[in-house]
Structures are given as C-alpha cells and as structure tokens.
Amino acid sequence: MGSLSPNQEFTVVHIGDPIKYNPNVYESFTTKFHVIQPPSEQRQPAEFIKALQDRRWGDFHAVYCPFWNSGGEMGQWNEELVKHLPNTCKIFASAGAGYDWAGIPVLSKYGIYSSFLNPRMRITYSNDARASSESAFTAGSGDVERWKDAQKNRQETAYNPRGRSLGIIGLGNIGYTIAQKAWLGFGMKVLYHVIVKKGRERKGKVNATFYDRLDEMLAVSDCVVLATPFFGTKVIDGERSKQFKKGSRFVNIARGTPVDENALVDALKSGHTFAARLNVPENEPHVHSEFCKMMNVTLTCHNSGRLVMENTNALLFDGKALTPFNAHLIGKGQ
C-alpha cells in the first residue's frame, strides 16, 4: 500500500478513555490528525455498529486503542463489526501484544493493518524469580535476619544460564527476539515449538532446535517461555504442566488465557515448577490470590506506550507501520 496524500487531513477514531501516559506525544498526535473520541455509550456493540453504518465519524483512516481496559466494550472485532468500517480505514493500532479479541484474519481481509505493542522481553534467569522476589520482599521488610537469609540462600537457587536450555513456545517476532538474546547474549541452547506455523524459517540464525511435540520440548527445557497468542484452548493445562522438566522455570509474556493458573499454582507448590514470571494474569486485572502469596512468582502489569501512536503516524504518512503484525496477510484474501 502506498502512503496517503500528506495534504489530506487524516481522521483517527480514538477508542477508549482519555490517555494517561505520554501526554506530550498525544498532544503532537492530535496536531497531525483529526481525532474523534466516541463517548462510552457509543462504544456499546449495537450502538457502535450503528454509528459505523450511519458514517457518524465519516471516512476515518485509523482506529487507535491506547488501553487494554477501556475501548473493548464493543467486544470481538469480527466480520459483523469490521465489515462496517470505511474503506479508508487502513490501520488498527492497539496498546498490547495480545490480540485474541481482535479478528486478525478479518482485518487482513479488508486490507487493514494491525499493529500491537511488544511486552517487555526481559527474562530473569540468573537471578531467577524466587531470588529477585525474595530479595525485594526482604530488603523492604527492614528485617536484618530475613535479609541475611535471602542472601545466603540465593546462591542455591540462582543459576548461570550459559549452556542451559530455553524452550520457547512461539517463534514469532517476540519469541525470535528472545531467542536472539538468549543465544547470543547468554549462550543458552534455544529450543522451540510453534502452535501455528507461519512465514519464513529463521531458526538457523539462533541455532534453534525445533520440537514438533510440545511435551518433548517441555521435558528437556530448563526454562520455558510462552510467547504465542491464544487460539481458543489452553496451551499449558493440568496435564501439560506435569510434562515440564522438574525444577524448571516458566515465563509467560503472552496473554494469561493460554495458561491454566490453578494447574500452575499446583506445580509451583509441589516444586515441580521452581519459579514463574507472569506478565498478564488470566483474569486481568484480577490476580490469582495464590500467586500473590508466593515468593517464587514475579508478577508484572500489562503495559502500553507511545508506539501505538507512532505506528498510526508511520502508516498514514509513510505508508508502512513500524510493527505491523499482519503485513504478510494483506491482499491475500485471508
């Protein structure tokens, strides 16, 4: 797709509440585009579709969703909704790497680029989740004996990652970047399994070993990273959690929905899984109460940022989004 005319006024429909972060970037964003922000009552499913049918917001060029926790009132972006978007709409930019609620095949069918943020890709392994969490808790407690105990025992639980196996579920853009860091930066052995195969093969560049059977990869991985979207079924359920190598670590940077949290709690309590670092809970913003009690679990919130606005700007003015997810599907009738 070529870029639209720079002299044309672009209209962006901002779906969700007013922004809280990157206000300076947003101010600049609003000077470049005519931004329309429908109120919450117009973001209900029936009313939202009616507004699109009536062309209430005209022939807009982009949909911008800055938050995960607002703007989703209209539900799934499926055929019933997307077919009413104007032909001028060329990008759906959302703050979040997860996209189980966004109909990627449908957006692609209508020639709409989808762009999502990458979550933080840091993997704590040497100073693993238990060591870092315990250090944070004890340092803030003011208890000298607890602090000494944490320092003393950390040597028994923190391992050098060099030579150890990192199993990655999903070798897309995020999984591949993690593989690069693990292999080039830490000398880890990269293993991977993909739920849905797509695009070009890049495993040779990170010296990765492909496992057709996920259970076989789990059984030999010292640390497992979940970096795949939710396809409707649990990737890590009760039975699969038992297939992990005893004492291994688990890192989830994907959505919480592919993981059976009760099964993970059981695995952590039994010691079968040594520690976990979780980016997004299954029922966000509600965190499983057991995770909050565990010293061997590190929790981080789902984050968003300025990249959403930068993607919209790049596509409309330059004809190419910075982090397009579905570029390979556009124009292929998916």
Side-chain angles (χ1 to χ4, degrees), residues 1-182:
M1 175 196 130
S3 60
L4 299 174
S5 170
N7 298 318
Q8 179 181 352
E9 183 181 60
F10 300 117
T11 298
V12 175
V13 175
H14 171 158
I15 304 295
D17 296 337
I19 66 123
K20 296 180 181 179
Y21 310 105
N22 301 297
N24 294 334
V25 180
Y26 186 74
E27 183 179 357
S28 174
F29 185 75
T30 58
T31 63
K32 297 176 181 177
F33 306 110
H34 173 49
V35 179
I36 298 174
Q37 188 176 1
S40 59
E41 61 270 17
Q42 293 183 20
R43 302 197 305 255
Q44 306 307 312
E47 185 60 27
F48 189 78
I49 290 177
K50 184 177 186 301
L52 293 175
Q53 291 174 325
D54 296 342
R55 289 293 186 262
R56 188 176 303 168
W57 306 307
D59 291 329
F60 55 88
H61 304 90
V63 174
Y64 161 63
C65 300
F67 298 122
W68 67 267
N69 56 346
S70 74
E73 296 88 339
M74 70 288 296
Q76 195 81 14
W77 285 73
N78 53 23
E79 176 82 24
E80 185 59 30
L81 190 157
V82 174
K83 69 181 181 181
H84 297 296
L85 294 174
N87 294 333
T88 51
C89 185
K90 296 300 179 185
I91 184 169
F92 179 96
S94 172
Y99 51 85
D100 40 290
W101 52 274
I104 301 302
V106 179
L107 291 170
S108 304
K109 171 184 173 181
Y110 286 89
I112 300 172
Y113 287 81
S114 55
S115 180
F116 302 88
L117 289 180
N118 290 341
R120 285 174 289 180
M121 291 178 283
R122 178 182 60 196
I123 302 175
T124 300
Y125 190 89
S126 290
N127 296 321
D128 58 80
R130 173 174 289 178
S132 59
S133 294
E134 188 173 3
S135 293
F137 276 117
T138 54
S141 71
D143 189 319
V144 174
E145 293 308 313
R146 286 184 64 189
W147 187 90
K148 288 181 179 179
D149 184 65
Q151 295 301 308
K152 174 184 175 182
N153 294 322
R154 185 169 60 181
Q155 296 296 328
E156 300 175 4
T157 60
Y159 299 119
N160 187 330
R162 183 166 297 279
R164 295 188 179 271
S165 298
L166 178 67
I168 303 176
I169 305 174
L171 203 67
N173 291 333
I174 297 173
Y176 180 69
T177 301
I178 292 172
Q180 286 181 306
K181 292 182 177 182

Side-chain angles (χ1 to χ4, degrees), residues 51-305:
L52 293 175
Q53 291 174 325
D54 296 342
R55 289 293 186 262
R56 188 176 303 168
W57 306 307
D59 291 329
F60 55 88
H61 304 90
V63 174
Y64 161 63
C65 300
F67 298 122
W68 67 267
N69 56 346
S70 74
E73 296 88 339
M74 70 288 296
Q76 195 81 14
W77 285 73
N78 53 23
E79 176 82 24
E80 185 59 30
L81 190 157
V82 174
K83 69 181 181 181
H84 297 296
L85 294 174
N87 294 333
T88 51
C89 185
K90 296 300 179 185
I91 184 169
F92 179 96
S94 172
Y99 51 85
D100 40 290
W101 52 274
I104 301 302
V106 179
L107 291 170
S108 304
K109 171 184 173 181
Y110 286 89
I112 300 172
Y113 287 81
S114 55
S115 180
F116 302 88
L117 289 180
N118 290 341
R120 285 174 289 180
M121 291 178 283
R122 178 182 60 196
I123 302 175
T124 300
Y125 190 89
S126 290
N127 296 321
D128 58 80
R130 173 174 289 178
S132 59
S133 294
E134 188 173 3
S135 293
F137 276 117
T138 54
S141 71
D143 189 319
V144 174
E145 293 308 313
R146 286 184 64 189
W147 187 90
K148 288 181 179 179
D149 184 65
Q151 295 301 308
K152 174 184 175 182
N153 294 322
R154 185 169 60 181
Q155 296 296 328
E156 300 175 4
T157 60
Y159 299 119
N160 187 330
R162 183 166 297 279
R164 295 188 179 271
S165 298
L166 178 67
I168 303 176
I169 305 174
L171 203 67
N173 291 333
I174 297 173
Y176 180 69
T177 301
I178 292 172
Q180 286 181 306
K181 292 182 177 182
W183 183 56
L184 296 174
F186 299 107
M188 298 187 76
K189 300 173 183 177
V190 177
L191 321 176
Y192 77 101
H193 170 83
V194 292
I195 306 298
V196 176
K197 293 184 178 180
K198 64 174 184 178
R200 53 198 173 92
E201 184 62 75
R202 298 180 294 185
K203 65 178 182 179
K205 296 183 180 179
V206 292
N207 199 31
T209 301
F210 172 68
Y211 279 77
D212 186 55
R213 293 177 55 84
L214 176 56
D215 289 352
E216 292 180 0
M217 186 191 80
L218 297 178
V220 296
S221 298
D222 295 301
C223 181
V224 175
V225 176
L226 181 64
T228 190
F230 182 55
F231 290 105
T233 58
K234 298 291 184 186
V235 177
I236 306 300
D237 56 16
E239 284 303 311
R240 184 150 282 152
S241 64
K242 299 174 184 177
Q243 305 306 315
F244 278 67
K245 180 179 180 180
K246 185 172 176 56
S248 61
R249 280 84 164 156
F250 176 63
V251 179
N252 183 12
I253 61 156
R255 288 284 183 179
T257 42
V259 178
D260 182 331
E261 292 188 341
N262 289 324
L264 179 57
V265 166
D266 291 341
L268 288 163
K269 284 185 173 181
S270 70
H272 189 83
T273 298
F274 180 77
R277 179 179 286 271
L278 310 174
N279 181 58
V280 184
E282 183 175 11
N283 299 304
E284 61 179 339
H286 306 289
V287 180
H288 197 297
S289 60
E290 291 300 314
F291 289 150
C292 300
K293 305 172 187 176
M294 294 180 173
M295 297 291 283
N296 58 339
V297 174
T298 301
L299 303 168
T300 55
C301 297
H302 200 165
N303 294 313
S304 59

